[in-house]
Amino acid sequence: EPEVTQTPSHQVTQMGQEVILRCVPISNHLYFYWYRQILGQKVEFLVSFYNNEISEKSEIFDDQFSVERPDGSNFTLKIRSTKLEDSAMYFCASSEVAGFQPQHFGDGTRLSIL
Amino acid sequence: RKEVEQDPGPFNVPEGATVAFNCTYSNSASQSFFWYRQDCRKEPKLLMSVYSSGNEDGRFTAQLNRASQYISLLIRDSKLSDSATYLCVVNYAGGTSYGKLTFGQGTILTVHP
């Protein structure tokens, strides 16, 4: 069964540094998403991406964050000037069609900011 | 009011038991509904979509009541492997929204021998 893959599985970074989280969505999927889950809290939507542009973003997704699809397979989340409160699991997801189709999640990147 | 609200749990049941989870959502324009399960520190995994007519997948039965904005999940004949956190998830896609998932806080289920 096709999978969403994410790298790295764990990223440890000093506060103030930039990190790039990488995702390879399922190949025939057209819609891509990033979510995050702070330890002990619920999964929260960050951003959706379609046709090479952001289609929706949450209040969390401020100027510190950006997304990119640099080639035909990768989908990245960049976090600039990381803060302690950015520590969380970051999940990438993709879906073939938006709306009624379920989204399939990668196994996540655990981001630890020191 | 929370966008998606679930039973607080946790549920601790013996193998073979039947357990039911409830969920309510606040956005009446929500279009699609899912149950995901999440094992400790893992990604959410789709358990099943939820349809207005109700649907069943083996030991799992999901129901949706749009008028009451209520979703349920019934697990029959619980197995040890059913131990996980069950996430009620709602999807609104319309206008400029392309399918943002809104998650409940999850209900922890522990099935013991």
Side-chain angles (χ1 to χ4, degrees):
Chain A
E1 186 177 325
E3 292 183 338
V4 176
T5 57
Q6 289 186 242
T7 55
S9 56
H10 191 191
Q11 174 80 46
V12 181
T13 300
Q14 291 289 329
M15 187 170 59
Q17 298 297 305
E18 175 182 288
V19 295
I20 297 176
L21 310 183
R22 304 182 190 278
C23 169
V24 178
I26 295 172
S27 61
N28 64 331
H29 286 188
L30 301 177
Y31 297 83
F32 314 119
Y33 311 86
W34 284 102
Y35 294 82
R36 81 171 185 189
Q37 186 175 31
I38 295 170
L39 187 63
Q41 297 187 21
K42 66 179 183 178
V43 178
E44 300 175 290
F45 169 80
L46 292 177
V47 66
S48 59
F49 191 88
Y50 169 70
N51 200 26
N52 283 318
E53 61 182 25
I54 290 173
S55 52
E56 187 175 5
K57 57 185 180 180
S58 70
E59 293 175 352
I60 303 167
F61 195 91
D62 59 20
D63 292 343
Q64 187 193 0
F65 295 86
S66 61
V67 289
E68 193 177 33
R69 188 154 164 82
D71 53 43
S73 59
N74 290 285
F75 178 50
T76 62
L77 174 68
K78 182 188 290 186
I79 309 174
R80 291 177 284 273
S81 301
T82 50
K83 300 176 280 209
L84 294 176
E85 54 264 38
D86 294 327
S87 296
M89 281 290 289
Y90 288 81
F91 295 110
C92 174
S94 69
S95 64
E96 193 172 353
V97 177
F100 294 102
Q101 293 285 330
Q103 294 174 21
H104 298 271
F105 285 76
D107 54 8
T109 293
R110 178 167 302 282
L111 179 61
S112 300
I113 306 299
L114 305 178
Chain B
R1 182 180 172 187
K2 293 180 182 176
E3 289 186 86
V4 179
E5 195 152 5
Q6 297 185 236
D7 279 349
F11 288 73
N12 193 339
V13 303
E15 274 186 290
T18 296
V19 62
F21 302 140
N22 303 315
C23 170
T24 57
Y25 60 95
S26 61
N27 186 347
S28 60
S30 298
Q31 295 185 331
S32 50
F33 310 89
F34 308 97
W35 284 100
Y36 280 74
R37 67 171 278 169
Q38 186 175 31
D39 295 294
C40 187
R41 297 190 170 218
K42 301 284 189 181
E43 77 276 19
K45 287 187 177 175
L46 178 69
L47 182 64
M48 58 196 304
S49 301
V50 188
Y51 304 115
S52 297
S53 54
N55 49 299
E56 187 173 309
D57 182 3
R59 299 181 292 108
F60 300 87
T61 301
Q63 297 278 351
L64 167 64
N65 184 323
R66 285 186 183 267
S68 303
Q69 295 177 206
Y70 170 89
I71 307 162
S72 66
L73 176 69
L74 183 76
I75 305 175
R76 291 181 299 278
D77 189 23
S78 300
K79 311 291 184 192
L80 296 176
S81 57
D82 293 334
S83 298
T85 298
Y86 288 81
L87 307 174
C88 178
V89 184
V90 172
N91 189 345
Y92 171 75
T96 57
S97 179
Y98 283 84
K100 160 191 165 182
L101 294 183
T102 302
F103 286 77
Q105 76 272 25
T107 303
I108 297 172
L109 171 66
T110 301
V111 181
H112 60 81

